[in-house]
């Protein structure tokens, strides 16, 4: 389920503990939506290599994500 996507992400708490960066996806879905929140904190960044090496063909990135590094 989309709400469980964050459980398949390696992430880092950033912004002095108030936000999240997604670092690596460990799931196997080919179509997914990046989570808006993790641990009740907004996701603000996605690492540019988060989905590298995966067979992901479609990613929906929600409003609010400011940086893809």
């Amino acid at each position: 389920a989309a709400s469980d996507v964050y459980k398949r992400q390696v992430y880092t708490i950033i912004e002095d503990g108030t936000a999240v960066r997604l670092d690596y996806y460990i799931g196997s879905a080919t179509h997914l939506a990046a989570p808006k929140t993790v641990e009740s904190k907004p996701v603000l960044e996605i690492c540019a290599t988060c989905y590298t090496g995966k067979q992901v063909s479609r990613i929906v990135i929600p409003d609010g994500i400011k940086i893809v590094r």
Side-chain angles (χ1 to χ4, degrees):
S3 62
D4 293 330
V5 169
Y6 81 89
K7 294 177 183 175
R8 294 186 301 266
Q9 299 276 354
V10 174
Y11 57 89
T12 302
I13 305 296
I14 59 171
E15 302 287 325
D16 295 323
T18 63
V20 171
R21 179 186 65 232
L22 302 179
D23 296 318
Y24 188 72
Y25 177 65
I26 56 176
S28 59
T30 57
H31 293 219
L32 57 101
K36 288 184 178 187
T37 62
V38 173
E39 295 185 17
S40 301
K41 295 171 180 50
V43 175
L44 295 184
E45 301 180 4
I46 299 176
C47 183
T49 58
C50 185
Y51 303 101
T52 299
K54 300 295 179 178
Q55 299 297 317
V56 176
S57 59
R58 179 174 172 229
I59 302 169
V60 176
I61 298 175
D63 291 339
I65 294 182
K66 299 177 182 177
I67 300 173
V68 177
R69 296 182 185 250

